[in-house]
Amino acid sequence: MFYAIISQDVEDSLEKRLSVRAEHIARLKALEDEGRLLIAGPHPNVDGQDPGPAGFSGSLIVAEFNSLEEAQSWADADPYIAAGVYEKVVVKPFKRVFPSV
């Protein structure tokens, strides 16, 4: 089943994000390589692809896990958590409807 991992950043998180971004991306790449990643990306603080110094307000990851507990455990181990990037993380089941499979 798919699970949505919806994260909210602390204020001025850009420096913290950049400090562990490679580790964060490596975990997402592993999910992608396993065919379990549906979508992932950050929410820019401004209306544009590259927010520059404005940074990001959070992230969305939708990936396949065996259970809610497994998804929560994976989310809890994110390097962004350890670095203090995220203020809040919500993990919940996600039912894919579109695009059709």
Side-chain angles (χ1 to χ4, degrees):
M1 177 164 194
F2 286 108
Y3 294 87
I5 302 169
I6 307 156
S7 307
Q8 181 69 40
D9 282 21
V10 298
E11 290 292 321
D12 300 316
S13 64
L14 187 57
E15 188 174 315
K16 292 176 183 179
R17 272 180 170 269
L18 294 176
S19 73
V20 293
R21 184 175 187 274
E23 293 92 341
H24 173 79
I25 295 297
R27 295 178 83 235
L28 292 170
K29 182 71 174 133
L31 285 178
E32 181 182 46
D33 291 348
E34 295 167 6
R36 297 171 44 203
L37 183 64
L38 184 62
I39 191 169
H43 302 286
N45 271 325
V46 295
D47 189 12
Q49 288 287 44
D50 181 4
F56 301 92
S57 64
S59 301
L60 170 65
I61 299 166
V62 179
E64 190 172 20
F65 294 94
N66 291 320
S67 66
L68 178 58
E69 294 76 20
E70 182 182 315
Q72 184 69 59
S73 179
W74 187 91
D76 290 344
D78 195 304
Y80 281 176
I81 298 254
V85 172
Y86 292 150
E87 176 180 335
K88 179 180 179 183
V89 178
V90 174
V91 180
K92 53 186 167 180
F94 179 83
K95 181 180 176 184
R96 180 180 177 172
V97 176
F98 292 102
S100 307
V101 216

